[in-house]
Amino acid sequence: MHKTERLEEFKKLVKNKFYVYNSLFLNLPYQGIENVGMLIPLLFDQCEKGLKSGKNPQQILDLFFQNYANIDTEQERIDFMFSVIQYVERQVVLYDSVEDAAFPKLHEHSSSLSIKDYFQLVDKNKSWEKIAKKLSTFSARIVLTAHPTQFYTPAVLDIIEELKSLILEDKINDIDVVLQQLGLTSLINTKKPTPLDEAKNIIYILRNVYYAAVGDLFTYIKSNIENDDFDNYNIIKLGFWPGGDRDGNPFVTADITKDVADELRINLMKCYYNDLKILRKKLTFKDLLLDLNNLRDRLYVAMFDTNRVVSYDDIIGPLLTVREILIDKYNSLYLKQLDDLIDKVKIFKTHFATLDIRQDHSKHRLVVETVLKTNNYIKESLDELAEDELTNLLLNEKLKLDSKDFNDEIVKDTIANISHLRDIQNKNGEEGCNRYIISNSEDIYSVLFVYGLFRWCGWEKDKITFDIVPLFETMNGMDTAEATMQYLFDLPDYRSHLEQRGSKQTMMLGFSDGTKDGGYLKANWSILKTKEVLSKVCSKNGIDAIFFDGRGGPPARGGGKTHRFYAAQTKDIANNEIQLTIQGQTITSTYGTKEQFMHNSEQLLTAGLSNNLFGKENVISRESRKLMEELSDLSFEKYDALKQHEMFISYLENRSTLKYYTKANIGSRPGKRGKKAKLELADLRAISFVGSWSQLKQNVPGYFGIGTAIKKLKDEGRLRELKKLYKEVPFFETLMRNSMMSLTKCYFELTSYMKDDKEYGDFWNILHDEFQLSKQMLLLISNSEMLMENEAVSRESIKIRENIVLPLLVIQQYALHQISENSKYKALYEKIVTRSLYGNINASRNSA
């Protein structure tokens, strides 16, 4: 479908429908906010006109209250602002529902390569033998994380699903009723969720969306591949961080990890039970009943009792027996439905999703230091040991650790957790939990500390059924990654461990903290180069390199168009498997419905499979690399100067919503690492860092430095080189297009009043100047008239979403100002700021 036709389809299916259904909000019986719906359009109009004319949020709202709302007292104005926030939150939910309903239709004729298109391409190229070999081993692992921007409750997700179904059928009266339900349903958590609550919320999506979606996608691939024996049940794998990610959430404990593993398993048993119950109504044949009924009864007990474990063999065995009898005696009746269940059991086994463990390297250092001090190998510090002495202790010394022998909570929990991991594998199978990820990996000990702790916690060397995964996320970590891995490969003990794990080494490269540390362009360029170097060192050592990408929602945290990202990888990067995190609200916005999940999973597979198989391989020439290096260094120089600016942290603390992330009942974890009184950038979590810039509509981490870098080379007469780089290097084009998305979501008019601020005016102007320059330079090198010129539907969707939340953002800025003025209602204004986070996060869909 031509892009103008697709845009017309979008306007018909999304824009027009949203405005029709949005009108139903006008008279909804909200408690205490009867007239808000009538005033919202007026408020939006005043906000838009006021900001464009240079008015600040205080002037805009004061005039609105006087001229339109006739609200005089400050308390009444505060009540009204809370009502607007509630109203806007629900408008966002409605828009999400309308867009989700239109998704299948809009993507019917999109230019994206589906699995079906891909197989047609294989036919055309007569390359089935080559692709069949690749398909038999290739997989994409989608790892769900519990970042604090994933906060739609199951009740709201159910409403979205119901609205989506009704919108598809245009049932206006039913939609009206569900909108009334939405109006009276709380959209936020009444209290901060626990780590277990967060895990349960995402398991809800696993059970209600992904279970069926993964099964259907596998069936679709299997039926199209022209190979009756296709058995790559790992082609789409699910990973899970909630309940295992200690670095992401310091409140995660060994007990919570066990509880989450149990939740994953019992919810999978519920899925199997429900499928079996439906199948049982069809398979009413005498010789099948005993096996089916026995299996049904065992699943039923396992659904409610975490101690009653049904093994994979206990499930698959009876189903395969039933299959044989069905073929032999009952004309293969309902065989397809039985095979679909058997395939799901082979995909999910007894784990549903692989629970990853993650902890920061510094915490492992503390544990090892404490253990060695307690056992008299050192007096105070690991620095007392030479490198070979420490390495020998970790590889060979026989210690027996018991968490009860230690007082420090981190030490106790780390030992307890590693000791309990075998229990999780015994219940959920080895795939239930078999990866240990180390954040902030910068040397060999990031891996060796974990290897040593496993040994000391009772795991024999040849029975450590865990992949130890270093996460290189800082500039320094990436710079030293090659030397770190080569040293490890040269150690006979670690080499032996890798051989037991299939001679594969998974390595994670972190976008979130990398971008915070090095800026957008340098971080992304460093990651690509590090991948190439690590691919080479692994290949040289006979190891299969597998890369696990920390891809957040926005481009500033590695997000953006995922398909484009993987399709742009160079031929020098190992392409054995795609692994990525799906973070924050991206879980529901990009993979939240069955149709979205299947479409985006197909995109992952086709991007990964096409890379190096069809057409021109992605190669970056020496000249292009030199140019990328120059741009990277110039961009970093500009970004680093901003980081070092005396107002950088102060601006975030006092002019953004940074401190309010931790006050919102969004997630269970703190907003920064460590307990230092003074905020430091290194301790600041990337999600609140990036999210705060997003709430300001400044999105600094998604572009800052790019404009300056491009202009410097342009002024040297090298514009032609830059345009050639954009046109010929897919990786660079992908980065720039993702950056253009960040720029599209900026709206500096919201904070333009800050340019006259005595304390922060100069700093705001630095940000604004770079925004304007980056926009100008990106349009120049891409030969575009507007940002996202070739992505009309995405651009239009962003525009509608930004318009919905504009009144909310103006209210947020108004409240921040009142707080800075020490209003007697300061506590209420702080609540307004906190509440206003939610709607903006959801509307942006990839804001943090």
Side-chain angles (χ1 to χ4, degrees):
M1 185 185 286
H2 192 272
K3 61 184 180 183
T4 55
E5 291 176 310
R6 193 158 177 263
L7 183 59
E8 282 304 311
E9 195 78 2
F10 174 84
K11 287 179 179 176
K12 184 171 69 177
L13 294 174
V14 179
K15 189 174 181 178
N16 293 346
K17 280 194 174 186
F18 169 68
Y19 288 133
V20 169
Y21 298 140
N22 190 43
S23 65
L24 296 174
F25 271 118
L26 297 181
N27 297 307
L28 286 185
Y30 296 115
Q31 190 172 350
I33 55 172
E34 284 77 13
N35 298 316
V36 172
M38 310 294 285
L39 290 169
I40 286 280
L42 285 170
L43 178 57
F44 167 77
D45 184 62
Q46 291 303 300
C47 289
E48 188 177 42
K49 287 178 179 174
L51 291 171
K52 283 180 179 174
S53 67
K55 289 187 176 71
N56 64 40
Q58 289 71 46
Q59 293 168 325
I60 292 167
L61 284 178
D62 285 343
L63 285 170
F64 174 80
F65 287 134
Q66 289 167 20
N67 299 337
Y68 296 96
N70 295 320
I71 301 174
D72 298 320
T73 72
E74 191 169 6
Q75 181 63 62
E76 288 176 322
R77 291 182 175 190
I78 288 170
D79 291 342
F80 177 83
M81 286 187 274
F82 273 117
S83 299
V84 171
I85 292 169
Q86 288 177 269
Y87 190 94
V88 169
E89 286 171 345
R90 285 156 179 80
Q91 282 185 301
V92 173
V93 172
L94 174 62
Y95 186 78
D96 283 347
S97 304
V98 173
E99 204 166 59
D100 287 350
F103 183 88
K105 189 74 176 171
L106 284 174
H107 283 80
E108 260 179 28
H109 307 288
S110 75
S111 58
S112 303
L113 193 66
S114 69
I115 288 288
K116 185 178 179 182
D117 299 329
Y118 182 75
F119 287 145
Q120 288 173 354
L121 194 58
V122 173
D123 271 335
K124 184 180 174 183
N125 284 271
K126 308 295 183 193
S127 49
W128 268 113
E129 187 176 336
K130 190 175 183 182
I131 195 59
K133 184 179 178 183
K134 188 75 176 173
L135 270 171
S136 67
T137 58
F138 191 80
S139 76
R141 184 191 296 245
I142 297 166
V143 181
L144 309 169
T145 74
H147 280 297
T149 51
Q150 174 51 42
F151 65 87
Y152 270 151
T153 62
V156 176
L157 292 174
D158 282 339
I159 289 173
I160 291 174
E161 184 62 29
E162 178 71 8
L163 277 173
K164 187 186 85 168
S165 302
L166 296 171
I167 287 164
L168 283 169
E169 299 177 47
D170 276 325
K171 292 187 172 180
I172 192 94
N173 292 327
D174 293 334
I175 291 168
D176 187 28
V177 173
V178 176
L179 288 178
Q180 290 183 50
Q181 178 192 353
L182 176 63
L184 298 169
T185 300
S186 175
L187 266 66
I188 63 168
N189 299 310
T190 53
K191 59 182 179 63
K192 277 188 179 291
T194 66
L196 184 58
D197 292 333
E198 290 174 330
K200 286 179 177 179
N201 280 347
I202 299 190
I203 290 171
Y204 172 91
I205 301 170
L206 276 179
R207 184 178 165 191
N208 290 283
V209 179
Y210 298 170
Y211 174 75
V214 174
D216 287 358
L217 184 57
F218 177 83
T219 300
Y220 180 66
I221 293 168
K222 187 178 176 181
S223 63
N224 278 277
I225 201 174
E226 297 184 5
N227 178 4
D228 294 336
D229 299 321
F230 180 71
D231 63 352
N232 181 7
Y233 293 100
N234 286 325
I235 195 158
I236 291 288
K237 294 189 283 191
L238 297 175
F240 203 80
W241 274 18
D245 179 12
R246 284 150 176 74
D247 179 45
N249 191 334
F251 302 125
V252 170
T253 63
D255 286 340
I256 284 172
T257 301
K258 286 198 298 180
D259 289 344
V260 170
D262 285 339
E263 282 290 327
L264 284 163
R265 188 183 66 260
I266 64 174
N267 275 276
L268 178 60
M269 296 303 117
K270 290 174 183 176
C271 292
Y272 290 159
Y273 178 83
N274 289 334
D275 273 4
L276 189 62
K277 196 164 77 170
I278 293 167
L279 193 60
R280 174 68 183 74
K281 290 178 181 178
K282 299 178 187 299
L283 300 181
T284 52
F285 318 128
K286 179 183 175 184
D287 292 338
L288 307 181
L289 297 182
L290 183 62
D291 284 313
L292 289 174
N293 289 344
N294 284 342
L295 178 55
R296 182 194 61 191
D297 293 344
R298 297 187 73 177
L299 289 172
Y300 185 80
V301 172
M303 284 161 46
F304 301 106
D305 187 345
T306 57
N307 295 314
R308 299 288 290 275
V309 177
V310 182
S311 72
Y312 170 69
D313 289 337
D314 290 338
I315 302 170
I316 201 68
L319 291 175
L320 292 176
T321 300
V322 166
R323 189 180 192 276
E324 285 180 24
I325 299 170
L326 194 63
I327 294 169
D328 290 343
K329 293 189 175 184
Y330 299 108
N331 304 322
S332 299
L333 200 60
Y334 298 120
L335 181 62
K336 184 187 181 304
Q337 288 88 335
L338 176 61
D339 280 346
D340 286 348
L341 176 56
I342 288 171
D343 284 342
K344 284 177 186 170
V345 173
K346 289 183 175 181
I347 292 166
F348 298 114
K349 298 185 175 65
T350 53
H351 63 279
F352 215 162
T354 300
L355 181 59
D356 287 344
I357 307 299
R358 184 170 76 128
Q359 181 57 286
D360 189 80
H361 172 52
S362 63
K363 300 296 189 291
H364 296 136
R365 181 183 176 89
L366 168 67
V367 176
V368 170
E369 196 166 64
T370 304
V371 166
L372 293 181
K373 195 191 303 184
T374 303
N375 286 274
N376 300 315
Y377 289 97
I378 57 174
K379 290 181 179 178
E380 291 297 331
S381 169
L382 291 180
D383 296 335
E384 297 163 28
L385 297 170
E387 187 177 282
D388 59 340
E389 290 178 298
L390 179 54
T391 301
N392 181 59
L393 286 171
L394 295 164
L395 294 177
N396 300 308
E397 196 63 25
K398 293 183 178 178
L399 297 175
K400 287 189 177 179
L401 302 184
D402 188 327
S403 61
K404 298 187 188 72
D405 295 336
F406 299 89
N407 295 319
D408 185 284
E409 286 303 316
I410 291 289
V411 177
K412 285 171 73 76
D413 185 73
T414 302
I415 294 169
N417 181 51
I418 294 174
S419 302
H420 292 161
L421 293 177
R422 191 182 284 106
D423 294 335
I424 292 175
Q425 287 191 344
N426 288 338
K427 284 184 169 185
N428 290 27
E430 187 191 308
E431 288 178 69
C433 187
N434 62 6
R435 309 201 311 173
Y436 201 117
I437 299 156
I438 307 105
S439 304
N440 281 306
S441 294
E442 297 200 349
D443 58 34
I444 59 168
Y445 294 112
S446 58
V447 169
L448 292 184
F449 283 164
V450 173
Y451 182 85
L453 287 170
F454 265 85
R455 287 184 52 251
W456 298 343
C457 289
W459 295 72
E460 296 296 327
K461 280 187 180 182
D462 60 347
K463 291 176 183 170
I464 300 176
T465 48
F466 267 76
D467 297 327
I468 303 174
V469 182
L471 165 48
F472 303 110
E473 53 191 323
T474 63
M475 294 297 109
N476 182 58
M478 285 187 274
D479 288 344
T480 58
E482 179 183 13
T484 296
M485 296 316 300
Q486 185 59 64
Y487 188 103
L488 291 168
F489 294 154
D490 287 340
L491 287 174
D493 287 278
Y494 189 69
R495 187 56 180 254
S496 175
H497 168 71
L498 285 181
E499 287 168 3
Q500 294 159 33
R501 303 300 297 160
S503 293
K504 295 178 180 179
Q505 175 66 59
T506 303
M507 294 157 287
M508 191 172 180
L509 296 158
F511 283 87
S512 296
D513 284 296
T515 309
K516 189 182 75 176
D517 185 28
Y520 178 74
L521 188 54
K522 187 173 183 67
N524 281 281
W525 177 234
S526 297
I527 286 166
L528 182 105
K529 291 189 299 177
T530 305
K531 278 187 172 181
E532 290 179 333
V533 165
L534 290 174
S535 297
K536 189 175 179 181
V537 76
C538 285
S539 178
K540 185 176 75 175
N541 287 275
I543 303 293
D544 287 338
I546 295 174
F547 293 111
F548 180 17
D549 296 309
R551 291 185 62 75
R557 294 183 58 235
K561 299 289 185 181
T562 300
H563 175 270
R564 222 157 44 199
F565 167 79
Y566 283 109
Q569 301 292 286
T570 67
K571 73 177 184 64
D572 296 320
I573 293 174
N575 187 35
N576 301 303
E577 189 171 323
I578 282 176
Q579 297 190 6
L580 73 161
T581 56
I582 301 297
Q583 303 178 353
Q585 73 272 39
T586 317
I587 291 173
T588 48
S589 66
T590 310
Y591 292 83
T593 67
K594 185 177 174 183
E595 295 82 8
Q596 287 173 325
F597 181 91
M598 291 180 71
H599 171 80
N600 287 298
S601 296
E602 283 188 43
Q603 295 295 288
L604 281 180
L605 290 172
T606 56
L609 291 166
S610 299
N611 202 338
N612 304 356
L613 284 176
F614 298 120
K616 185 181 176 183
E617 292 180 332
N618 288 331
V619 179
I620 304 178
S621 68
R622 186 177 299 173
E623 293 78 12
S624 293
R625 285 179 179 274
K626 186 170 178 289
L627 188 55
M628 282 288 296
E629 203 68 48
E630 287 182 77
L631 285 168
S632 169
D633 289 342
L634 287 167
S635 178
F636 175 68
E637 191 180 312
K638 179 71 173 177
Y639 176 74
D640 194 50
L642 184 75
K643 276 201 315 181
Q644 305 305 326
H645 195 288
E646 60 180 354
M647 289 297 168
F648 186 74
I649 293 294
S650 175
Y651 180 81
L652 278 173
E653 281 193 295
N654 298 308
R655 288 294 182 269
S656 84
T657 57
L658 180 66
K659 66 182 76 169
Y660 298 95
Y661 269 82
T662 54
K663 294 183 179 182
N665 290 334
I666 295 175
S668 64
R669 68 189 193 165
K672 68 184 182 76
R673 295 177 174 90
K675 297 178 180 178
K676 297 173 191 167
K678 185 181 178 184
L679 182 63
E680 294 179 11
L681 184 60
D683 296 326
L684 189 58
R685 291 193 177 280
I687 196 158
S688 45
F689 174 71
V690 173
S692 297
W693 290 114
S694 171
Q695 296 280 333
L696 282 167
K697 291 297 162 193
Q698 294 173 354
N699 293 331
V700 164
Y703 62 84
F704 198 89
I706 288 175
T708 294
I710 293 174
K711 186 173 188 302
K712 176 87 163 51
L713 297 185
K714 170 187 166 286
D715 290 347
E716 293 174 5
R718 301 169 67 184
L719 180 59
R720 196 171 177 180
E721 286 179 60
L722 292 163
K723 289 190 171 188
K724 186 182 178 197
L725 185 71
Y726 183 87
K727 188 177 180 182
E728 296 183 0
V729 178
F731 174 73
F732 182 67
E733 181 198 3
T734 294
L735 285 188
M736 296 305 99
R737 287 177 70 178
N738 280 342
S739 196
M740 285 191 237
M741 183 195 296
S742 292
L743 290 164
T744 302
K745 293 184 176 183
C746 288
Y747 192 63
F748 270 82
E749 289 90 337
L750 178 69
T751 55
S752 63
Y753 68 91
M754 290 188 194
K755 66 175 180 266
D756 300 319
D757 188 292
K758 289 180 182 178
E759 193 172 1
Y760 297 106
D762 290 343
F763 186 80
W764 185 91
N765 281 310
I766 291 171
L767 305 178
H768 187 235
D769 290 347
E770 187 64 20
F771 159 75
Q772 289 183 309
L773 185 61
S774 296
K775 181 179 176 181
Q776 181 188 347
M777 291 298 106
L778 285 172
L779 291 176
L780 183 65
I781 65 167
S782 63
N783 289 321
S784 301
E785 295 292 323
M786 66 176 74
L787 295 171
M788 299 181 72
E789 186 170 85
N790 296 316
E791 298 171 78
V793 168
S794 293
R795 192 179 67 241
E796 187 70 15
S797 176
I798 288 170
K799 182 181 175 183
I800 293 170
R801 289 177 175 278
E802 299 297 322
N803 283 347
I804 290 171
V805 295
L806 184 61
L808 183 150
L809 292 168
V810 170
I811 285 171
Q812 184 184 87
Q813 286 296 313
Y814 180 92
L816 285 168
H817 175 79
Q818 296 299 100
I819 292 165
S820 70
E821 295 291 308
N822 277 317
S823 162
K824 67 176 181 177
Y825 294 102
K826 183 178 178 181
L828 284 174
Y829 283 117
E830 288 183 333
K831 283 186 179 179
I832 284 177
V833 174
T834 303
R835 275 298 306 277
S836 65
L837 296 175
Y838 296 82
N840 188 35
I841 287 169
N842 273 341
S844 297
R845 283 210 155 182
N846 65 355
S847 62

